[in-house]
Amino acid sequence: MINLLFMVIFSEMAVIMVLSFKTPFRKLTLMILDRVKRGRGPVVVKTVAGTLFIVMMSSVYSTMKIQKRWIEDGAATPTDQILMAKHLLEATLMGGVLFLALMIDRLHHYIRELRIRRKSMEAIKKQGPGFEDGKPNGSDKVKALEEEVTTLKGKLKHLESDLESKTKEMDAAEANAVALRKQSEGFLLEYDRLLEENQNLRNQLESLDQSLSHSGSKKNT
């Protein structure tokens, strides 16, 4: 299951990287996400996310249960250490999967919003010079056109500020994804270290058992 979770995390990170940069694959990825959000797609995604969240909470509960047993017994066995590391790693990876899925959803939403905003800005920019250069007859028409131009300029400034804020949010989302990847790599290294320590403890126990058996056979002789 851990290998599967790592594959899902790396796949989600690849999708985030594709969405963050303007490449030929970005349009294809957006089309796929658009199709996923149609029909029964959102229901299926929510069902899978809910199931994953329940499993994650189960792993967290198992970790807390093992930790409580440590406190009560006053010592931790190698098996408990391995189980706790396994449950902790699984919970972290499942939380990372859910977090990255949320980031992909938000990035897709913001990219669509940015496209709509840019199209609106282009339309406003095309209309603006035409109103300013035109020479209509009558003072009322001139005032009406001037007011409309002022309104359009205000909308343009508002759209530019929205575009800047959305760009900052996308940069923050990318930074969070990179930080989560580094955290997952740290947990994997800690898991490998615990496995190695457990193997060393088992080897020591086996050698101790062999020594005791050898000494016992000598006494019997």
Side-chain angles (χ1 to χ4, degrees):
M1 182 177 179
I2 293 176
N3 294 330
L4 178 62
L5 290 173
F6 270 112
M7 289 177 60
V8 175
I9 285 179
F10 288 136
S11 300
E12 290 178 333
M13 290 174 61
V15 172
I16 290 175
M17 295 299 293
V18 170
L19 293 177
S20 300
F21 300 98
K22 193 174 183 180
T23 60
F25 298 102
R26 184 178 182 177
K27 187 176 181 181
L28 177 62
T29 305
L30 290 174
M31 291 175 61
I32 294 173
L33 291 175
D34 288 336
R35 291 185 179 180
V36 170
K37 290 186 177 182
R38 295 174 185 172
R40 297 182 179 179
V43 178
V44 175
V45 172
K46 290 179 180 178
T47 303
V48 174
T51 304
L52 194 62
F53 179 78
I54 292 173
V55 177
M56 181 187 70
M57 295 306 297
S58 176
S59 297
V60 173
Y61 175 75
S62 299
T63 303
M64 295 176 64
K65 189 176 180 180
I66 293 173
Q67 189 175 9
K68 184 179 179 181
R69 188 164 62 244
W70 285 6
I71 297 173
E72 291 177 352
D73 296 342
T77 62
T79 304
D80 287 340
Q81 291 179 0
I82 295 299
L83 288 175
M84 184 173 180
K86 181 176 179 294
H87 289 309
L88 184 60
L89 182 60
E90 287 179 351
T92 303
L93 292 177
M94 285 185 280
V97 169
L98 294 175
F99 176 76
L100 291 178
L102 178 62
M103 298 307 300
I104 291 173
D105 178 69
R106 291 295 87 196
L107 281 174
H108 176 249
H109 174 73
Y110 291 147
I111 290 172
R112 291 182 62 186
E113 288 291 328
L114 286 174
R115 284 187 172 183
I116 296 173
R117 303 278 185 182
R118 285 172 180 170
K119 289 181 181 179
S120 301
M121 288 173 62
E122 290 176 358
I124 292 172
K125 287 180 178 179
K126 289 179 180 179
Q127 293 177 2
F131 285 116
E132 291 177 350
D133 297 337
K135 295 181 180 179
N137 296 324
S139 59
D140 294 338
K141 291 184 179 180
V142 172
K143 290 181 180 180
L145 289 174
E146 288 178 351
E147 291 178 356
E148 190 169 357
V149 169
T150 303
T151 303
L152 289 174
K153 287 182 177 180
K155 289 182 179 179
L156 179 60
K157 291 181 180 179
H158 180 68
L159 290 173
E160 288 177 349
S161 63
D162 286 345
L163 178 61
E164 184 179 357
S165 63
K166 298 298 182 183
T167 304
K168 290 181 180 179
E169 290 178 357
M170 288 179 63
D171 293 337
E174 183 180 354
N176 289 333
V178 173
L180 183 61
R181 181 185 62 184
K182 292 181 179 179
Q183 185 180 6
S184 298
E185 292 175 354
F187 277 114
L188 182 60
L189 292 174
E190 181 65 18
Y191 180 68
D192 293 336
R193 185 185 67 79
L194 289 174
L195 282 177
E196 185 177 356
E197 289 182 358
N198 184 40
Q199 186 63 37
N200 293 332
L201 288 173
R202 288 182 178 178
N203 293 334
Q204 291 176 6
L205 289 174
E206 289 178 359
S207 52
L208 182 61
D209 290 339
Q210 291 177 0
S211 300
L212 292 175
S213 300
H214 184 66
S215 62
S217 60
K218 285 184 176 180
K219 290 180 179 179
N220 294 330
T221 303

